[in-house]
């Protein structure tokens, strides 16, 4: 890799002059500047931004810790934050903590090893990283939290109004007539103290409703966990008439379980979810969602970070943004009478009881759709015309003549 010394030798100037061509080109004569630029192009020279920032005592790199690389929310957040930071000549490094403070501690150490100037942090659940975070702050590393704010950390933050969003969802379902509403999981209050699951029973109580004990299930933020939990809830003697998915990933697991059991949205059960992911508008019926202002959250978090790095005082250090309810076709009044009997279709199981597919003799959803499509095509094509059948000896003679 070429160095600035190589550029200087080729251009016939001193290294200081070569550096000046990059940082203060207006201080060089046109002829000197042209020779340096020609040498840079010929050698394909690129300045080492990290080395330059270390020598100057100021890094131009910001770390971003997300909860999960697989979650579309974080992809959209990262893209917007990177654009804002790039306009201020900062580079973004992305890693994940898998919602764990223990894993987060490892990633914080790695980012500090890269000499980042600041970290945009989606905090993991737990306390293992708190002491190291305080140590980073004392060393001058700027920290901004987003999506989840740990109550023990007095750090700048950008949050969704989670309690307000849950209230919008429950109020919407209550207005439609639902009284048996289940959130997909009550996160463990010690390892996963999530605001959405904590607010849900309080909001239900405000509306004069209770959450039955059999609806309160500890679960993880994964599609498979939501898939299994949905089956468990549908197996209850009095299953819920509406489900609230606390993340878009949970909603995909719930939707998969409902489809496998032949449960119809919203005729048999209603479904509402956080996160306006693209798939929610493409399925039939489309899913009613609580849309998070992800891009605005990322912009505000990035501006909070830049204000800290530049020594400015931000207008607000704790931003809370509202969600937007988008009503679609997956929510409707609860089914009257005993129409919820459809929910008690046996869950698909294989030998050993694992939840993976329909039982022997049961048709998969795609098989049902294929059979319906076949019948529809037959109706459109009209009555079938059978080919004439030859008597046996004529059929054999016809086959022999065709072979000759």
């Amino acid at each position: 890799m070429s160095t600035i010394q190589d550029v200087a030798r080729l251009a016939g100037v001193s290294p200081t002059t070569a550096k000046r061509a990059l940082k203060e080109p207006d201080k060089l004569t046109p002829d000197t500047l042209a020779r340096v630029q020609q040498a840079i192009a010929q050698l394909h020279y690129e300045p080492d931004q990290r080395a330059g920032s270390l020598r100057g005592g100021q890094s131009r790199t910001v770390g971003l810790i997300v909860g999960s690389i697989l979650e579309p929310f974080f992809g959209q957040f990262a893209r917007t934050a990177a654009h804002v930071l790039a306009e201020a000549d900062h580079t973004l490094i992305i890693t994940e903590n898998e919602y764990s403070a223990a894993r987060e501690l490892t990633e914080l150490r790695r980012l500090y090893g890269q000499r980042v100037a600041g970290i945009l942090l989606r905090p993991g659940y737990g306390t293992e990283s708190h002491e190291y975070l305080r140590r980073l702050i004392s060393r001058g590393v700027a920290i901004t939290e987003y999506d989840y704010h740990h109550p023990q950390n007095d750090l700048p933050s950008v949050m969704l109004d989670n309690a307000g969003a849950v209230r919008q969802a429950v109020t919407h379902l209550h207005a439609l007539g639902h009284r048996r509403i289940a959130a997909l999981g009550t996160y463990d209050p010690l390892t996963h103290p999530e605001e959405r699951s904590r607010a849900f029973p309080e909001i239900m109580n405000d509306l004069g409703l209770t959450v039955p004990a059999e609806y309160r299930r500890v679960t993880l933020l994964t599609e498979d966990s939501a898939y299994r939990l949905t089956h468990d809830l549908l197996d209850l003697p009095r299953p819920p008439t509406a489900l609230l998915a606390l993340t878009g990933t949970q909603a995909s697991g719930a939707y998969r379980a409902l489809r496998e059991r032949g449960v119809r949205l919203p005729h048999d059960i209603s479904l509402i979810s956080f996160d306006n992911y693209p798939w929610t508008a493409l399925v039939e019926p489309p899913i009613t969602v609580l849309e998070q202002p992800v891009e605005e959250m990322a912009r505000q978090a990035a501006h909070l970070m830049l204000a800290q790095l530049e020594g400015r005082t931000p207008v607000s250090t704790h931003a809370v943004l509202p969600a937007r309810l988008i009503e679609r076709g997956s929510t409707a009044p609860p089914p009257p009478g005993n129409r919820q009997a459809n929910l008690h279709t046996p869950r698909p199981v294989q030998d050993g009881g694992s939840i993976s597919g329909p039982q022997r003799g049961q048709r998969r959803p795609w098989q049902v759709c294929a059979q319906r499509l076949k019948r529809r095509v037959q109706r459109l094509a009209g009555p079938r015309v059978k080919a004439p059948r030859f008597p046996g000896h004529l059929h054999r003679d016809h086959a022999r003549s065709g072979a000759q």
Side-chain angles (χ1 to χ4, degrees):
M1 185 176 66
S2 300
T3 65
I4 195 67
Q5 286 78 13
D6 297 328
V7 172
R9 278 193 295 270
L10 184 59
V13 300
S14 69
T16 301
T17 300
K19 294 175 184 177
R20 188 167 293 165
L22 296 171
K23 297 182 179 181
E24 301 173 301
D26 55 311
K27 293 187 177 182
L28 299 180
T29 64
D31 177 64
T32 301
L33 180 61
R35 283 190 287 121
V36 175
Q37 290 176 338
Q38 183 179 358
I40 289 173
Q42 184 175 337
L43 295 172
H44 303 288
Y45 170 75
E46 295 183 22
D48 188 342
Q49 299 287 354
R50 182 170 176 265
S53 65
L54 291 176
R55 286 192 296 270
Q58 183 180 8
S59 171
R60 309 297 296 181
T61 303
V62 173
L64 171 65
I65 298 183
V66 304
S68 170
I69 292 291
L70 298 177
E71 192 75 40
F73 168 90
F74 293 110
Q76 188 177 0
F77 186 98
R79 181 186 183 192
T80 303
H83 287 173
V84 174
L85 292 170
E87 292 176 357
D89 198 27
H90 285 75
T91 303
L92 198 66
I93 299 177
I94 304 174
T95 185
E96 66 176 341
N97 60 14
E98 297 178 346
Y99 302 102
S100 165
R103 169 72 185 273
E104 179 181 301
L105 176 60
T106 301
E107 299 308 315
L108 288 172
R109 293 182 186 277
R110 288 175 177 167
L111 288 175
Y112 185 68
Q114 295 292 323
R115 297 297 187 266
V116 296
I119 298 174
L120 294 168
L121 172 64
R122 197 295 181 186
Y125 301 120
T127 60
E128 293 88 342
S129 62
H130 289 185
E131 181 180 351
Y132 192 73
L133 273 173
R134 289 191 288 269
R135 192 181 310 171
L136 290 180
I137 295 170
S138 68
R139 293 171 178 172
V141 179
I143 307 290
T144 296
E145 293 181 332
Y146 70 95
D147 186 52
Y148 173 70
H149 175 65
H150 200 285
Q152 295 183 10
N153 294 337
D154 187 19
L155 296 170
S157 63
V158 179
M159 292 283 298
L160 180 75
D161 181 6
N162 287 294
V166 173
R167 186 173 296 277
Q168 287 187 73
V170 174
T171 302
H172 170 69
L173 295 172
H174 183 267
L176 290 173
H178 292 278
R179 300 297 180 265
R180 301 202 308 271
I181 305 170
L184 288 182
T186 300
Y187 304 144
D188 190 297
L190 296 178
T191 59
H192 287 218
E194 234 290 336
E195 187 177 5
R196 296 174 190 175
S197 60
R198 186 171 63 247
F200 174 69
E202 298 173 0
I203 294 167
M204 290 280 285
N205 186 64
D206 291 344
L207 295 173
L209 306 176
T210 58
V211 182
E214 59 269 27
Y215 290 5
R216 297 172 180 257
R217 308 293 179 94
V218 175
T219 188
L220 300 175
L221 292 171
T222 65
E223 179 181 343
D224 288 341
S225 294
Y227 170 86
R228 291 189 293 269
L229 176 57
T230 301
H231 278 299
D232 289 342
L233 292 172
L234 298 185
D235 286 339
L236 294 172
R238 285 177 58 81
T241 62
L243 299 176
L244 168 59
L246 301 178
T247 70
T249 297
Q250 281 193 321
S252 62
Y255 185 81
R256 181 158 57 97
L258 296 175
R259 285 289 301 271
E260 286 187 359
R261 293 176 75 127
V263 176
R264 301 169 301 166
L265 289 172
H267 308 288
D268 302 320
I269 196 170
S270 287
L271 174 64
I272 185 171
S273 173
F274 275 78
D275 300 318
N276 186 22
Y277 290 164
W279 73 267
T280 62
L282 300 177
V283 296
E284 183 59 37
I287 307 300
T288 297
V289 295
L290 294 154
E291 182 181 53
Q292 299 194 63
V294 184
E295 293 186 357
E296 183 59 25
M297 291 173 68
R299 274 192 290 268
Q300 293 201 25
H303 285 302
L304 271 175
M305 174 59 62
L306 291 173
Q308 294 179 77
L309 297 179
E310 297 167 3
R312 295 183 285 107
T313 302
V315 177
S316 173
T317 56
H318 298 287
V320 179
L321 306 180
R324 181 169 72 101
L325 176 66
I326 303 177
E327 297 184 33
R328 293 175 178 153
S330 67
T331 52
N338 62 353
R339 273 179 49 193
Q340 265 202 309
N342 294 335
L343 303 188
H344 293 289
T345 302
R347 71 168 71 191
V349 297
Q350 286 185 333
D351 292 341
S354 62
I355 305 170
S356 56
Q359 296 180 8
R360 184 185 298 266
Q362 290 183 337
R363 291 185 298 174
R364 296 178 182 271
W366 66 266
Q367 293 174 316
V368 175
C369 293
Q371 186 64 30
R372 290 174 180 172
L373 178 61
K374 180 179 178 180
R375 289 198 295 267
R376 182 174 298 179
V377 170
Q378 289 174 345
R379 286 198 300 269
L380 293 175
R384 296 177 61 184
V385 179
K386 294 185 178 180
R389 296 180 61 85
F390 294 102
H393 68 284
L394 293 179
H395 180 77
R396 288 191 295 272
D397 293 343
H398 176 73
R400 292 195 194 98
S401 64
Q404 293 176 356

